[in-house]
């Protein structure tokens, strides 16, 4: 008989990846906010690149969640997917409201 934990491992891996992506997104948001407060164009540029990487990680996590959808874990996967979607929306809003300052000569 197959151990139930063997079936849960891929799902747990997908959820862990999604949670890591959410944390990366939160860290990227904070980096953008700090760079804006400091009015530092170099830090802002780096933070925007970090945010873009976070968006890719969230998109990949979202794909994995959809692919892993299983009736036994549907509620948990749905909750994590909602968190991923919220993090994506948050990053999109920050990206839309963040502009690189024009270089002044």
């Amino acid at each position: 008989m197959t151990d139930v934990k063997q079936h849960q491992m891929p799902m747990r891996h997908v959820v862990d990846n999604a949670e890591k992506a959410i944390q990366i997104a939160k860290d990227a948001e904070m980096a953008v906010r700090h760079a804006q407060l400091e009015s530092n164009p170099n830090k802002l540029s780096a933070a925007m690149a970090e945010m873009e990487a976070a968006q890719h990680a969230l998109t990949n996590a979202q794909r994995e969640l959809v692919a892993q959808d299983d009736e036994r874990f549907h509620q948990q996967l749905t909750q994590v997917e909602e968190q991923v979607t919220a993090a994506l929306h948050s990053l999109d809003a920050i990206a839309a409201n963040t502009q690189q300052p024009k270089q002044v000569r």
Side-chain angles (χ1 to χ4, degrees):
M1 184 170 189
T2 306
D3 189 9
V4 173
K5 290 181 182 180
Q6 287 178 337
H7 292 293
Q8 292 176 355
M9 291 303 285
M11 189 275 303
R12 185 74 237 159
H13 181 70
V14 168
V15 170
D16 287 345
N17 285 346
E19 289 173 348
K20 286 177 191 173
I22 291 167
Q23 187 59 50
I24 289 168
K26 288 178 182 178
D27 293 345
E29 282 184 50
M30 289 302 295
V32 169
R33 288 191 179 125
H34 286 301
Q36 287 173 328
L37 289 173
E38 293 176 14
S39 297
N40 185 327
N42 292 331
K43 282 187 179 181
L44 184 58
S45 180
M48 293 297 289
E50 187 180 332
M51 196 169 74
E52 189 173 322
Q55 286 175 314
H56 289 295
L58 287 169
T59 301
N60 289 337
Q62 196 170 37
R63 279 191 210 120
E64 287 181 5
L65 286 166
V66 170
Q68 187 65 32
D69 199 356
D70 182 334
E71 286 183 30
R72 294 173 293 167
F73 307 109
H74 182 74
Q75 184 176 2
Q76 181 181 6
L77 292 173
T78 300
Q79 288 173 341
V80 175
E81 187 175 358
E82 287 171 357
Q83 292 172 343
V84 167
T85 301
L88 273 169
H89 289 307
S90 180
L91 289 180
D92 288 341
I94 289 174
N97 293 324
T98 303
Q99 295 178 352
Q100 277 282 52
K102 293 186 173 134
Q103 187 173 8
V104 178
R105 292 186 186 247

